[in-house]
């Protein structure tokens, strides 16, 4: 999945999949609890897969997901 949003700064990229962690908030955004990406990563890993992110601040983000073929219905 790819978007063209505000992106994630390099200093947060290695932390965004951590439990209760959020990228730096801005005044115009609503923040969650910082658990959604952690849940996604755990589910993917429990199925033998992995999830990654590539992002540049101001240019959006791309999340990639890989699952073993034998885990896909």
């Amino acid at each position: 999945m790819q978007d063209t949003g505000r992106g994630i700064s390099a200093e947060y990229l290695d932390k965004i999949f951590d439990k209760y962690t959020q990228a730096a908030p801005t005044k115009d955004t609503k923040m969650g609890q910082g658990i959604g990406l952690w849940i996604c990563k755990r589910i993917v890993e429990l199925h033998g897969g992995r999830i990654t992110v590539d992002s540049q601040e101001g240019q959006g983000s791309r999340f990639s997901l890989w699952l073993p073929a034998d885990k896909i219905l």
Side-chain angles (χ1 to χ4, degrees):
M1 180 176 85
Q2 184 169 340
D3 68 34
T4 57
R6 65 184 179 113
I8 303 165
S9 66
E11 67 184 287
Y12 290 101
L13 281 177
D14 63 339
K15 301 172 188 161
I16 63 166
F17 291 107
D18 294 345
K19 194 174 188 180
Y20 304 118
T21 300
Q22 301 173 346
T26 62
K27 291 190 315 186
D28 62 336
T29 60
K30 293 182 181 180
M31 297 301 291
Q33 299 300 312
I35 196 164
L37 287 174
W38 178 81
I39 291 171
C40 291
K41 182 179 180 192
R42 290 293 297 141
I43 291 170
V44 168
E45 289 175 344
L46 288 169
H47 286 85
R50 65 185 172 106
I51 186 171
T52 62
V53 61
D54 292 311
S55 185
Q56 290 186 339
E57 197 167 11
Q59 296 185 11
S61 304
R62 180 189 343 220
F63 288 85
S64 300
L65 170 73
W66 291 271
L67 290 172
D70 64 331
K71 301 291 183 180
I72 300 173
L73 299 177

